[in-house]
């Protein structure tokens, strides 16, 4: 178990920790000289059952509240220290609020310096404490009268026995999650190298494991582990750990960084949280600037309200925090907010979605998705998450959102899994899959009704019609899987590049079929520079209008493609040009296809090269960005 102290400056927290453990947690020269704690201190004491009790001693000065928040995160039990002569003071209240906001559920109160005041004063402070704690989770916390400077004090002995009993009864935290350690200290040891310390938020680390450093994305190897101040082969959730690392310098790591399983780390600048505003805080309005304490890190952010335009004191709501720099978080992580001046703790809460969107964040669909995220976070069941993802969810994202490796996630039966590369896959429920299939068919049915003479639509354009605005790689995989499944079971048909419903076709008469064969042969023979309509009409003794209308019919069936008026390309030649565009895009540093490069690769003139590239833009195979052309994500010329 890890205990964290809390309380006003000079109420005797460090002295009490020394009396309880024999360890002086003030280690800096300035702390010794000034007689106050400035940095976090750490003490450990063995328990009768063989476990070790860890204590984090935090500074009490108002200027160091940010340090206190870094120390309080991840603790199991709070030791609230109140001096009997001063009674409840400002940082007593603020530290108590921070403990509540961080979700600490247990506390013990030490009424310290009890030997300096008469019994009447003890009674007054007890009554004050009872009123302070009444509306908190600590209303029934045990209170011990202590005199920390007296080595023989019975109150200290009783407090020690109580904390040892509580610690030995504390159940172990789940250790089947992804490993994450929030760094609160980093230093070097002669002959050993870089060492980091912190509280393990989840999972287990073992000697020899490879972790990822959040700030630099540097892989590091764990050379040795100290858990609760003892050398160990592993360290688990809920323990204070020191990790000796290989592969990274001390200067590269700072408080606020994470050492974690690579699957748990994804940088973000927008997180959706459920936020509770303290009763004595000012109301929050849109885009209010705040200081956010998340893990052991301190960030600056703005608040975007997701429900209403104002968050009143003493109420809670879902909000989005928008950070100016990348942060790392997982659902369920607790955070504390202070005002723009960092002079007052105003709110706190827990992360719902650490990968929040910038657009449509207040929509009904988005709020329903947040409901699903909260439900999954409470139970660990992925079903609400998947039910709230109409376009599916990548397995890697599911792992991050549940903070557990895939082997510890019980997936519901009947999921459709579409490969995304490597071991990843897009997971989607049968209900959502069937709904998407119906959407594609309904989109084509409406198109055929409006344009019965059109043969269908190519795949990129149909994707934009059926799934507007979806361009992410996962959605490209979803689309490919959808089309393949619909074609495989006959729900969809394909003629050349055109997708259409089965039975929909453009029919040619006998004379048109004979002329079409000759025209297609001529276009094929023309390669990348086919003959124009006027040349085809002259060569095959037909009117220009007859040739033009027939080629347009063939274009609607997918046999040819009209690049500009009266210029048609055979299907095979257009496929070759599309493949050439993809090749040039793969070779370009930013995937940009320039007109001059395409001209040189095809041997065409500049004007014709631009006409072909603009055709690909119109069909959705590429898109124009200034003077270049980029392949659309997931685009395929089939």
């Amino acid at each position: 178990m890890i205990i964290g102290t809390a309380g006003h400056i000079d109420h005797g927290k460090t002295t009490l920790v020394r009396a309880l453990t024999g360890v002086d947690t003030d280690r800096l020269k300035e702390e010794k000289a000034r007689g106050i704690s400035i940095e976090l201190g750490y003490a450990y004491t063995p328990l009768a059952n063989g476990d070790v009790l860890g204590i984090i001693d935090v500074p009490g000065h108002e200027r160091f509240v940010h340090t206190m928040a870094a120390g309080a995160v991840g603790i199991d039990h709070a030791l609230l220290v109140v001096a009997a002569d001063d009674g409840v003071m400002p940082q007593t209240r603020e530290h108590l609020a921070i403990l509540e906001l961080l979700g600490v559920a247990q506390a013990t109160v030490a009424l310290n310096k009890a030997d300096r005041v008469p019994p009447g004063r003890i009674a007054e402070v007890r009554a004050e404490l009872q009123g302070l704690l009444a509306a908190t989770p600590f209303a029934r916390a045990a209170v011990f009268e202590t005199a920390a400077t007296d080595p023989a004090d019975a109150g200290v002995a009783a407090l020690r026995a109580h904390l040892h009993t509580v610690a030995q009864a504390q159940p172990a935290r789940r250790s089947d999650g992804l490993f994450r350690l929030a760094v609160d200290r980093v230093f070097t040891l002669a002959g050993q190298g870089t060492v980091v310390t912190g509280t393990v938020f989840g999972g287990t680390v073992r000697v020899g494991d490879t972790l990822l450093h959040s700030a630099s994305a540097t892989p590091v190897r764990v050379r040795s582990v100290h858990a609760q101040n003892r050398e160990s082969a592993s360290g688990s959730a809920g323990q204070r750990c020191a990790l000796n690392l290989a592969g990274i310098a001390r200067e590269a790591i700072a408080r606020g960084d994470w050492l974690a399983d690579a699957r748990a780390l994804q940088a973000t600048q927008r997180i959706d949280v459920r936020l509770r505003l303290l009763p004595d805080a000012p109301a929050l309005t849109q885009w209010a600037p705040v200081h956010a304490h998340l893990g052991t890190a301190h960030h600056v952010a703005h608040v975007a309200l997701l429900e209403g335009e104002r968050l009143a004191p003493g109420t809670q709501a879902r909000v989005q925090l928008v950070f100016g720099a990348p942060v790392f978080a997982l659902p369920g992580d607790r955070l504390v907010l202070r005002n723009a001046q960092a002079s007052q703790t105003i709110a706190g809460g827990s992360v719902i979605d650490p990968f929040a969107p910038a657009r449509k964040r207040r929509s009904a669909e988005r709020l329903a998705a947040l409901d699903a995220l909260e439900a999954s976070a409470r139970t660990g069941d992925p079903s609400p998450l998947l039910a709230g993802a109409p376009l599916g969810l990548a397995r890697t994202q599911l792992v991050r959102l549940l903070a557990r490796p895939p082997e510890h996630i019980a997936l519901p039966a009947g999921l459709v899994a579409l490969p995304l590369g490597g071991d990843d896959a897009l997971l989607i429920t049968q209900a959502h899959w069937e709904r998407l299939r119906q959407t594609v068919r309904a989109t084509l049915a409406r198109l055929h009704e409006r344009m019965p003479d059109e043969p269908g639509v190519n795949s990129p354009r149909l994707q934009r019609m059926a799934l507007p605005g979806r361009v992410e790689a996962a959605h490209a995989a979803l689309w490919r899987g959808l089309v393949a499944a619909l074609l495989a079971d006959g729900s969809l048909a394909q003629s050349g590049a055109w997708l259409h419903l089965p039975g929909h076709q453009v029919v040619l008469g006998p004379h048109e079929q004979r002329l079409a064969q000759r025209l297609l042969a001529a276009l094929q023979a023309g390669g990348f520079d086919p003959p124009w309509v006027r040349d085809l009409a002259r060569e095959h003794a037909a009117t220009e209008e007859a040739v033009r209308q027939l080629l347009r019919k063939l274009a609607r069936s997918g046999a040819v493609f009209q690049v500009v008026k009266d210029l048609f390309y055979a299907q095979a030649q257009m496929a070759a040009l599309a493949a050439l565009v993809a090749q040039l895009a793969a070779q370009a540093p930013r995937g940009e296809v320039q007109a001059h490069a395409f001209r040189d690769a095809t041997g065409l003139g500049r004007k014709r090269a631009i006409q072909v590239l603009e055709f690909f833009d119109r069909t959705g195979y590429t898109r124009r960005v200034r003077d270049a052309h980029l392949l659309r994500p997931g685009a395929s010329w089939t």
Side-chain angles (χ1 to χ4, degrees), residues 13 85 90 138 216 250 265 273 283 308 311 316 324 470 496 541 546 597 636:
K13 295 185 295 298
D85 49 0
F138 317 125
S216 65
R250 177 186 65 81
L265 291 179
V273 306
L311 183 58
Q316 62 173 299
R470 312 295 185 178
S636 174

Side-chain angles (χ1 to χ4, degrees), residues 40 65-73 102 181-185 201 214-215 254-258 290-301 323 325-329 333-338:
L40 299 175
V65 168
H66 62 283
T67 305
M68 181 272 170
V73 67
L102 289 176
L181 179 139
V183 176
D184 55 31
R185 189 179 172 211
F201 273 49
S214 61
R255 175 180 291 168
D257 293 349
W258 294 89
V290 293
H291 289 261
H293 297 272
L294 178 62
T296 54
H298 171 205
H299 304 280
V300 176
F323 295 87
V327 301
F328 296 86
D333 285 354
R334 308 291 295 207
L335 54 85
V336 171
L337 300 187
R338 306 193 84 210

Side-chain angles (χ1 to χ4, degrees), residues 23-283:
V23 177
D24 185 358
T25 58
D26 280 347
R27 53 190 170 80
L28 304 179
K29 287 183 179 180
E30 188 179 359
E31 291 177 317
K32 301 287 189 184
R34 296 174 61 183
I36 64 170
S37 296
I38 297 171
E39 264 295 345
L40 299 175
Y42 311 97
Y44 300 90
T45 186
L47 300 174
N49 66 353
D51 290 340
V52 175
L53 172 62
I55 300 179
I56 302 177
D57 185 29
V58 306
H61 196 286
E62 186 275 334
R63 286 173 49 200
F64 305 124
V65 168
H66 62 283
T67 305
M68 181 272 170
V73 67
I75 67 173
D76 302 297
H77 192 99
L79 177 58
L80 180 64
V81 182
V82 180
D85 49 0
D86 282 347
V88 173
M89 296 292 282
Q91 263 54 66
T92 310
R93 298 180 184 277
E94 185 165 20
H95 283 201
L96 184 64
I98 290 172
L99 293 172
E100 279 194 80
L101 295 173
L102 289 176
V104 179
Q106 304 176 29
T108 297
V109 179
L111 186 50
N112 200 26
K113 304 185 182 181
D115 55 334
R116 301 186 184 182
V117 297
R121 177 58 181 164
I122 295 288
E124 289 176 7
V125 179
R126 277 185 171 273
E128 191 177 15
L129 281 169
Q130 186 176 3
L132 176 67
L133 301 177
T136 74
F138 317 125
R140 304 177 71 176
V143 180
F144 293 84
E145 298 171 17
T146 60
T149 56
D150 181 359
D153 182 59
V156 171
L159 173 61
R160 183 188 300 112
H162 170 75
L163 294 177
H164 283 212
T165 299
V166 170
Q168 292 176 92
Q170 177 77 13
R173 296 192 200 176
R174 290 186 59 168
S175 59
D176 61 349
L178 300 177
F179 178 80
R180 293 191 301 151
L181 179 139
V183 176
D184 55 31
R185 189 179 172 211
V186 56
F187 53 93
T188 56
L189 287 178
Q192 297 187 51
T194 303
V195 177
V196 299
T197 70
T199 299
V200 180
F201 273 49
T204 298
V205 66
R206 296 174 177 82
V207 174
D209 282 355
T210 297
L211 303 174
L212 200 66
H213 174 229
S214 61
S216 65
T218 301
V220 297
R221 182 173 58 83
V222 179
R223 299 169 67 178
S224 65
V225 177
H226 274 67
Q228 297 293 89
N229 208 37
R230 288 180 176 175
E231 188 170 359
S232 174
S234 64
S236 298
Q239 292 182 321
R240 290 274 318 157
C241 284
L243 306 181
N244 179 207
L245 304 176
I248 194 166
R250 177 186 65 81
E251 293 76 16
I253 308 177
R255 175 180 291 168
D257 293 349
W258 294 89
L259 271 302
D261 185 317
R263 294 171 294 182
L265 291 179
Q266 179 177 321
T268 180
Q269 289 186 240
R270 298 174 182 273
I271 62 175
D272 287 345
V273 306
R274 182 167 288 281
L275 195 70
R276 179 167 73 88
L277 193 61
L278 293 176
D280 60 347

Side-chain angles (χ1 to χ4, degrees), residues 399-410:
V399 164
R400 273 191 290 269
L401 290 173
L402 294 176
R404 293 208 300 278
E407 60 269 23
H408 291 151
I409 297 175

Side-chain angles (χ1 to χ4, degrees), residues 599-621:
R599 175 202 64 197
D600 295 344
T602 59
L604 297 171
R606 177 176 173 80
K607 181 178 180 180
R608 178 66 62 83
I610 290 174
Q611 288 172 337
V612 173
L613 288 173
E614 289 177 345
F615 165 78
F616 285 134
D617 291 340
R618 290 195 303 275
T619 58
Y621 184 61

Side-chain angles (χ1 to χ4, degrees), residues 333 338-340 415 567:
D333 285 354
R338 306 193 84 210
N339 62 5
L415 291 179
L567 180 63

